[in-house]
Amino acid sequence: MTTLTDPPKESFRLSMLIYDTRYRSATIQVVALMGFMLLAAWLISNTLTNLETLGKPISLAFFTEPASYDINQRLLEYDSRDSHLRAAFIGLLNTLVVAVLGCITATILGVLIGVLRLSKNWLVARIMTVYVEMFRNVPVLLWIVLAMAVLIESLPSPRAFRGENPEATMSLFDTVAVTNRGVYIPEALFHNSLGNIHLFGQSSMRFDISLDLVAFLVVLIAGLFVSNKIKQRADKVQEETGERPTTWWQRLAVVFVPIVILLAILGFHLGYPELKGFNFSGGTHMRNSLIALWLALSLYTAAFIAEIVRGGILAISHGQTEAAGALGLRQGRIMSLVVLPQALRVIIPPMISNYLNLTKNSSLAIAVGYMDITGTLGGITMNQTGRELECVVLLMGVYLLISLSISFVMNWYNKRVALVER
Amino acid sequence: MKKSVIFGAATLACMSAVAATAGTVDDVKARGKLNCGVASGLVGFATPDANGEWGGFDVAVCRAVAAAVLGDPKAVEFVPTTGKTRFTALASGEIDMLARNTTWTFSRDVDLKFTFVGVNYYDGQGFMVPKELGVSSAKELDGATVCIQTGTTTELNLADFFRTNGISYEPVPIETNAEAQQQYLAGACDVYTTDASGLAATRAAFENPDEHAVLPEIISKEPLGPLVRHGDNEWGDIVRWTLNALITAEELGVTSANVAELSAGTNNPEINRLLGSEGSLGEMLGLSADWAKSAIMAGGNYGEVFEKNIGENTPIGLARGLNAQYTDGGLIYSPPFR
Amino acid sequence: MSDKSFVRTEMLPELDPPASTVGIVGWMRENLFSSVVNSILTVVSLGFIFYILAGLLPWIFQSEWGATSLTECREIFNEKYGTSHGHACWGVVNDRWLQLLYGFYPDYLYWRVNLALVLTLAALAPILFAEKAPRQMIYLTMAYPFLMPWLLWGGSIWGPICAAAGFVVIFFGYRFVTNIAGSLVGLIVSVLAGIIWWMFIAGTVASGLESVLNIGIEAVESRKFGGFMLALLLGIVAIGCSLPLGILLALGRQSDLLIVKTICVGFIEFIRGVPLITLLFVASLLLNVFLPPGTNFDIILRVMIMMTLFSAAYMAETIRGGLAALPKGQYEGADSLGLNYWQAQRLIIMPQALKISIPGIVSNFIGIFKDTTLVSIIGLFDVIGLSTAIRADTAWNGIYWELFAFIAVLFFIVCFSMSRYSMYLERKLQTGHKR
């Protein structure tokens, strides 16, 4: 039985492109596409004409020229004869370092503050509220500059460590020097080092991998793997017999004994910072610019994360807490076993955007002279070469890539923890 | 509220000015204002005061050019620029000239396509250290932490200097002079390096200037001067000869005090040519006959500008040194007005 | 029944609650010392607060307001307290606060800035406090986009009037053409007419009218804008202009049209993926390169454009959230009434979605407002840029904390009150949705 009759066949008229809903969407799309392409073409042609008048045709040749400037905070070796590309690469690594460090501390601080804001202790809750409001309502640029100023003004300069009766002394049994140039911490050294692998030859991306580190990681991962196996076996035994064998010492031993042996073979020792000449030498030097940026970004972002965490916890129905209480769990365990895991689902999506914000805000590093990618590629390199277009476009591309990868990874994680509904 | 976007577009259409492609001088005259790029706050060279009035050594050059072209030293729009934006602002025509203690270098002249019209200050990069360090030469700075201002030629000179002398250092890049000063005073760096004029100005502002010394080494040549775009020679000439007029005025003893009197005519033909009572130099430049007179009246001759803004009687207290007239053994030298 | 009873027949008089549970003591027991851990926390917190205040208060209050230079401050401190450290020299704020607020705006015209601010609040009132403000104020809101720029930039009155006239052209064009050729053609034709009016006719008409009847106020170049006023202005313009753009982008992102959707998603993700500072670099270094040779408009406008684009992307996401929060029934209801897409959006969807999004929009505004400080990096004189310039003055060279404290307090006051407002709004909206 057919109740539907075919619509009367109409010959195609031009006005149907606008009025007929079957064609309208196609029309709109074609018009939009054309508009977009026209806009793009217009912009590009303008750019080309303008660049020609300025006498600066687009070229990336400057990348291979020596950068001629020094970068103090760097993960890889770099010297002023290296190319601009290498400088940009160093800058990129610096951006990533501060972003990763910042995200980790901001999360820890944020969760702590968010939980404390819900504390029953009136005073603590108030202090946390003041903290959150203070940091959220003042621009991050100001916080970065202030953090730097506080570090510079309140910490002793290396000069204060000198002399018979120094005004300042090193902390933690003379192993860590906290100065207003940064923090010097002991570094790992090896008597019988295995050496490095050089990757990428002499190119701008070259870097060394320490074989000691590789060996350390291999042993660690192997240890963890075996330890996991022991745990699985213990689980199995528990399921079968109801009794869980004591394995904690086995698991610890499996992880730590090989590491200790490896370190002994390699001749592990710590290199302590000591005052030499103008500065401390030896040890690992974390510059103040990095610490200030890291501190300011994590404190600032922590305020936002705290609010998200608080919101997430409040979103968990009170019945959950009461049920957990009825099961006899203590406050701390209720929080860590019942509330937080559920709250995570609410928390993660806004958290992603905060991580992204932190990463993007790290571009304010130039305010404290931290040489991130904005400071190298978008700063000195751009200044010295005068290639604004190339530098800014590349800079944007790099940030876009970082942002997209962070959101990709976090979205993937978000999907994993999302509630699986039946 | 929704409508403001379209209004924004409308204002944009209304407000967009015609760019200066050729004939900058005509643009300036038509506009009635000179757009002059200056530093966004550099002690003694360009600072806005509490009323927003700009003053300083570089600012005086802008005012002199405005006076020469438009007859009014106040007809200047000061465009604050940073180390990063200064060249783009000039290249794109946002400003007509740049007077922002910019070092005349080969690549800026040739590659970035600007014309440096002269030198208004001969500078060089120096080092300042606290006296308690007991350092007497820059070569003793092995391992020192050095504060530098980024976005200038300073960091390149520094890298080259330490490299050629085979000594190590730790650079601390800093955006502004004020922050560099703070870090230096707190001991976050041992040495502060920038142009010697900047060092002197910074030191002068310290609570105890005597505790700091400027080291004898000057590691670079930094001829600072105003610049204009390539390709507009008429405009370049105007800026160049306005600067030269200030310099010549000092050489000839023409000051803002006596310029009115002298412009009536003197026995010295060069003064007469300069001030327009003889010859037609102004006309050749496409300006009025009393262009140089106005320029000198704006802030005085080169020496007066120097003394007023950065000279020994100011808190900055710079000696003339290299910037004395050639007759006094300096490098300041203007081609003749003839 | 016996009259003997072993149970008390009458109530005892009520006793006061134990002293330890009422009043200050009770409150403290409950809120500060309810357990050992809590007591420790309280003591630690008290110590912390004391430490902070002991450092801050002397600095703030043992200070000098009258000095006109840092050297003078130092002399006064040395005389009064024996040391020049640990005391705030508020003289700098006293000396420069007008500049920090208004930038280089001519001082005899400050009233225009103030009036513009009052106007902004008045124009926002019908939107923000919908039920309390009189309905007629909506006309002020409609006139605001033309009044505010005129007040700030000054110049002839005909410019803004001609710009406003464009909307009249569109409105009547739409009315007129729709009657002849249907709504869609009407829309297209009238918008085209409006664009033609703005691009080609408005300027001539405005200058013509100006030569006939010159009504205007003194023009102020945007280069004179600065300080806190610049931050507010950039924030307001960016949010105001990005609202319509954001709505379009959000609709585009939600639409079924693949190409439109791709373009919108691409734009939003691109803008959200790069830091604002790179966009400001574009504004200061590249925008002139992208536009036709010879275009050259001043940096404040360029920054406004980039900030608008930046906030539009975030706005689009906020509004998309609002759209997603609407129950599907609303869309279906609109369809069942036979409304077409735009009618449904205008009459049913957008009013509700926007209402839900207002808290988000407010927090967007706070974000943009705070981000305006970044313009100091490209050399504009906002508060932070001005503070650098002030420190370059020989009188104030070396001053630091006082300026930053002042700036931080300024931002805190504005942002905090806005976030409070948005919380008030959220509460109000929530009760509206509860049944």
Side-chain angles (χ1 to χ4, degrees), chain A residues 149-166:
Chain A
V150 168
L151 288 182
I152 290 171
E153 296 284 338
S154 64
L155 297 176
S157 77
R159 261 170 254 161
F161 290 79
R162 204 170 291 136
E164 286 297 303
N165 266 323

Side-chain angles (χ1 to χ4, degrees), chain A residues 360-376:
Chain A
K360 285 185 285 171
N361 282 337
S362 74
S363 61
L364 299 181
I366 35 174
V368 289
Y370 178 70
M371 282 303 185
D372 72 335
I373 184 134
T374 318
T376 55

Side-chain angles (χ1 to χ4, degrees), chain A residues 70 72 81 180-181 279 287 383, chain B residues 143 145 169-171 186 190:
Chain A
D70 284 302
N72 54 355
R81 291 289 93 197
N180 65 356
R181 291 180 194 173
N279 276 319
R287 266 76 174 175
N383 260 323
Chain B
T145 304
Y169 74 112
E170 153 107 14
D190 301 303

